Amino acid sequence: MERRRFETHVTSTGFKLPSIHEFPALFCFQPFSSARSNQEDIWTRLILSYARHRRLFTLCADDAEKPSSDWHEVLSNERIKRKLTGQQVTTLLQTLVSRNQAAYEPPKQLSSVILYWRKPEEWAEVLHSWAVATGQLNTIMTFYEIQNPAIESDLTDIPSGLLRRAITILTKTQRAQFIEGGDGDGVRFFSGN
């Protein structure tokens, strides 16, 4: 009997899926803790690297059930006729949150997260570097201006919750100050220490 050889696969978006994605058991959560932990490690790395590749900030349990989802090519494998269920994705969301690789957004629910393919601390540094490079020190900027800059940047479309976390980190080092106003939340950046 010939053994099946698992190969990498490049998706329509140019993401290279690892050969393990061809393994049917990856899509069936294992009952034994050591195998399950290894499986969760694989899925979290896969989800975070795919999110970074596609610049996807959120993952919802419902994404497993929608063929039109941005996540379809990772959460399913048509070649082997396997896919994750919404419940399995919910379990992975819990794993991501428990490992501080995601946060529930909105809070107080368990079916949607903001993914930390960059940690909030890393986003804080990206944000401050952007403010320095674009000459925004001592200037009040709205969240909208940061999320929708005239020239696309790493911060384009960053979710408000993640942006707020990054600014909070900068406030602790005196490199930013929250500004509340009638036109929405804003921030002023400082050079810092």
Side-chain angles (χ1 to χ4, degrees), residues 27-116:
F27 293 86
C28 303
F29 281 4
Q30 303 300 306
F32 303 107
S33 62
S34 62
R36 177 71 167 268
S37 178
N38 185 42
Q39 190 174 31
E40 289 174 347
D41 288 346
I42 292 166
W43 275 112
T44 55
R45 281 192 309 271
L46 185 57
I47 286 168
L48 293 172
S49 60
Y50 184 74
R52 180 183 285 267
H53 171 78
R54 295 277 317 272
R55 289 191 46 80
L56 300 174
F57 290 98
T58 60
L59 176 60
C60 304
D62 293 347
D63 288 328
E65 309 298 332
K66 297 183 214 167
S68 62
S69 162
D70 286 334
W71 289 94
H72 181 73
E73 62 188 11
V74 168
L75 301 180
S76 66
N77 186 329
E78 303 294 330
R79 295 173 310 286
I80 61 171
K81 297 181 181 12
R82 297 290 176 127
K83 69 176 192 163
L84 292 181
T85 66
Q87 183 56 47
Q88 288 172 311
V89 173
T90 298
T91 300
L92 289 172
L93 299 181
Q94 292 170 337
T95 301
L96 286 159
V97 170
S98 72
R99 295 177 178 187
N100 198 29
Q101 295 172 313
Y104 289 114
E105 186 70 32
K108 300 182 182 177
Q109 53 77 44
L110 304 176
S111 63
S112 178
V113 297
I114 289 180
L115 295 165
Y116 293 161

